[in-house]
Amino acid sequence: MAGLIVPDVNLFPLTNYSFGIKDPQYERDPSVPTRMQRLKDEFEQYGSRRTVEAVLLVHEHNHPHLLLLQLGTTFFKLPGGELDIGEDEITGCQRWLTKTLAVEGTSIPWNVCEIVCNWYRPSYDQNQYPYIPGHVTRPKEHRRVFVVELPPNAALAVPKNYKLVAAPLFELHDNPQTYGPVIAQLPAMLSRINFVYN
């Protein structure tokens, strides 16, 4: 159909990347209640929290794999974090990726290229939705997820308290029990993208 644009995203083999380790990086809040209390305190002062996360894709045998940070045996997350007050989303996403995955003292040309989805936290609890509920005028957090195209080759460094795993999209699909609702819905959301296997 004329006028429709399908975005292209380049995927390179997992073997193009090397993975070292670096000093551990700990969560800012030691528990969920502490995180929710900080969210409440900051909301009263600054308004909605803005969070960015990155979808980093590689391929094995021409099937997309998502790079995930694994903490312990059961917790998986996308790299990213909270934006500073007034910080641009793309700049913030690149900052978080460098902080989390770049070798100390080096930079990687992170190409933030597509918005995959938006999630909203309407209240001070764990529940998030891919829409703003009708009764909510000011969500407590706005979480935006981007596809970030990796360079053809790179040396990455993973904080030693995490593992970096390459999970195939077929394993993530409709699997919220293992990966949580956001990650489990990514294969469907990514299906609109044309993957170019290099």
Side-chain angles (χ1 to χ4, degrees), residues 6-13 17 53-59 65-67 79 90 93-94 97 101 108-116 145-154 156 190 193-198:
V6 178
D8 288 346
V9 173
N10 288 297
L11 270 59
F12 300 94
Y17 305 95
E53 293 178 336
V55 169
L56 300 173
L57 294 161
V58 296
H59 76 83
H65 285 58
L66 176 63
L67 297 182
I90 292 176
C93 190
Q94 292 167 331
L97 284 169
L101 292 174
I108 293 173
W110 309 107
N111 179 20
V112 182
C113 53
E114 288 289 328
I115 296 172
V116 181
V145 181
F146 294 90
V147 169
V148 178
E149 192 176 77
L150 284 163
N153 300 275
L156 303 176
L190 292 168
I193 292 172
N194 180 44
F195 297 125
V196 179
Y197 298 100
N198 293 278

Side-chain angles (χ1 to χ4, degrees), residues 67-185:
L67 297 182
L68 293 170
L69 292 166
Q70 181 179 354
L71 183 62
T73 57
T74 60
F75 181 70
F76 298 89
K77 63 180 264 187
L78 297 168
E82 300 167 25
L83 294 177
D84 294 333
I85 302 301
E87 185 176 26
D88 172 79
E89 289 176 332
I90 292 176
T91 302
C93 190
Q94 292 167 331
R95 173 177 64 83
W96 272 104
L97 284 169
T98 297
K99 176 182 176 181
T100 308
L101 292 174
V103 174
E104 202 69 38
T106 69
S107 62
I108 293 173
W110 309 107
N111 179 20
V112 182
C113 53
E114 288 289 328
I115 296 172
V116 181
C117 55
N118 292 279
W119 288 79
Y120 302 90
R121 188 188 307 274
S123 57
Y124 302 113
D125 58 34
Q126 291 277 66
N127 295 321
Q128 297 179 69
Y129 304 93
Y131 55 86
I132 301 175
H135 66 283
V136 174
T137 55
R138 296 176 67 203
K140 306 307 181 267
E141 183 176 9
H142 178 196
R143 179 180 180 186
R144 181 165 277 176
V145 181
F146 294 90
V147 169
V148 178
E149 192 176 77
L150 284 163
N153 300 275
L156 303 176
V158 183
K160 64 173 62 174
N161 55 324
Y162 285 98
K163 288 193 292 187
L164 191 66
V165 299
L169 291 193
F170 66 78
E171 184 179 304
L172 305 177
H173 176 65
D174 201 24
N175 190 359
Q177 300 84 2
T178 302
Y179 295 102
V182 174
I183 293 172
Q185 292 188 38

